[in-house]
Amino acid sequence: MHTASSVFINGIAGVFTGIAVLYVMMKILSFVAGRPAPGSAPPTPKPE
C-alpha cells in the first residue's frame, strides 16, 4: 500500500515528466515542419 506522500511525489514527478515530453515533442514538430521554435533565432536564408 502506497503512503500519501509517495503518491503525491509520484504525481508531481508525472506532471513534470508530461510537461517535458510535450516540450520535446513541440521542438521536434517545429524542427520537422521547418519553422523556428519559439524563442530561437530565425533561420538564415539559403542561397539558391
Side-chain angles (χ1 to χ4, degrees):
M1 178 176 165
H2 293 290
T3 60
S5 61
S6 68
V7 171
F8 177 76
I9 291 171
N10 286 333
I12 295 295
V15 168
F16 281 112
T17 302
I19 291 171
V21 169
L22 285 175
Y23 178 77
V24 171
M25 289 299 296
M26 286 176 60
K27 289 288 187 182
I28 292 172
L29 286 174
S30 66
F31 177 75
V32 170
R35 285 176 278 164
S40 66
T44 57
K46 299 175 184 175
E48 295 183 5

